[in-house]
Amino acid sequence: MFFSKRVFFTTIGLVTVIGSSGWLVVKSAQEQISHGDLPAHFVENTAQDLVYEKYNQSGRLQYTATAKDSKRFYNQDAKLDGVSAVFYAKKPEDKPWHITSDYADITNSNNNIRLYGNVIMQRKANGKNSPAIKMMTDVVDYDNYQDNLTTDQKVIISQPGTPNNTVGIGMISAPKKGDFKLLKEVRSYYAGQ
């Protein structure tokens, strides 16, 4: 009888130890995942035909981006393929920028965007003093908080419907304000009939 009570209590003790150890292992794994111990390049979500909208603190739409394929990583960065985006001006009456590119990387809480691969930026005419404009380049970086668009690549600026063209290497601009500055090797030409 003594032996069976001893076996019974030993079995209960062993089950308690194993159960507690298992619970600690599971909790430890949950803590590691919740504290960011996964690698930054770990794919958290994927989507096809994605539509993403970013609003400012007052609820005004800042930009809309669509992509054929997208991946969101564990560090909250995203990679988009087949990108089309619309960036809205600070003033509601100003025309938005329509931007297309083959790819985009979105970082810094969806604030910084790198567009690359056949980047085309267009805006319709915005009154007499602001004609339609089209810009083409290979890579452009955009900071939405600072309204800062930069590139060190060749940029071609044209006015749709006219033969006016300007080419330069590198650009700094504030597209919401409509300010553009080509950095070097700037030349303009008129492509006649």
Side-chain angles (χ1 to χ4, degrees):
M1 200 122 163
F2 176 74
F3 182 71
S4 65
K5 284 183 187 179
R6 191 175 186 183
V7 170
F8 175 74
F9 287 115
T10 303
T11 304
I12 288 178
L14 187 58
V15 167
T16 305
V17 168
I18 291 172
S20 299
S21 298
W23 180 79
L24 288 173
V25 167
V26 168
K27 283 308 262 180
S28 174
Q30 288 174 342
E31 287 293 316
Q32 284 180 334
I33 289 171
S34 67
H35 285 98
D37 292 340
L38 290 172
H41 63 278
F42 180 80
V43 176
E44 193 171 51
N45 295 316
T46 60
Q48 292 182 327
D49 299 323
L50 173 78
V51 177
Y52 179 82
E53 295 178 336
K54 168 115 172 133
Y55 294 86
N56 65 14
Q57 292 179 350
S58 62
R60 184 158 161 25
L61 185 61
Q62 292 182 306
Y63 70 82
T64 301
T66 60
K68 292 179 184 174
D69 293 302
S70 63
K71 292 178 186 172
R72 169 79 64 183
F73 299 100
Y74 183 71
N75 65 356
Q76 296 301 304
D77 291 350
K79 182 174 179 59
L80 309 175
D81 296 345
V83 180
S84 177
V86 179
F87 289 86
Y88 296 93
K90 290 184 179 180
K91 297 177 186 174
E93 63 271 11
D94 288 345
K95 302 289 186 206
W97 281 95
H98 294 270
I99 302 173
T100 59
S101 68
D102 294 338
Y103 308 101
D105 295 336
I106 301 176
T107 59
N108 189 21
S109 299
N110 302 326
N111 182 58
N112 297 84
I113 301 171
R114 170 169 267 213
L115 299 152
Y116 54 100
N118 195 29
V119 180
I120 300 172
M121 300 171 278
Q122 299 181 82
R123 188 191 68 204
K124 292 182 179 179
N126 203 25
K128 277 168 95 176
N129 297 327
S130 184
I133 190 169
K134 179 179 181 180
M135 295 186 286
M136 296 178 289
T137 188
D138 289 327
V139 177
V140 71
D141 292 300
Y142 182 68
D143 183 329
N144 193 47
Y145 286 145
Q146 297 180 12
D147 186 33
N148 184 21
L149 188 137
T150 60
T151 185
D152 60 358
Q153 302 292 310
K154 177 181 175 182
V155 179
I156 301 170
I157 301 175
S158 62
Q159 292 178 329
T162 73
N164 299 330
N165 292 285
T166 303
V167 178
I169 305 294
M171 179 176 66
I172 297 174
S173 68
K176 289 178 185 174
K177 294 178 186 175
D179 299 337
F180 301 94
K181 179 180 179 183
L182 294 172
L183 301 178
K184 60 184 177 181
E185 298 180 32
V186 180
R187 62 187 192 281
S188 291
Y189 58 94
Y190 179 85
Q193 301 270 339

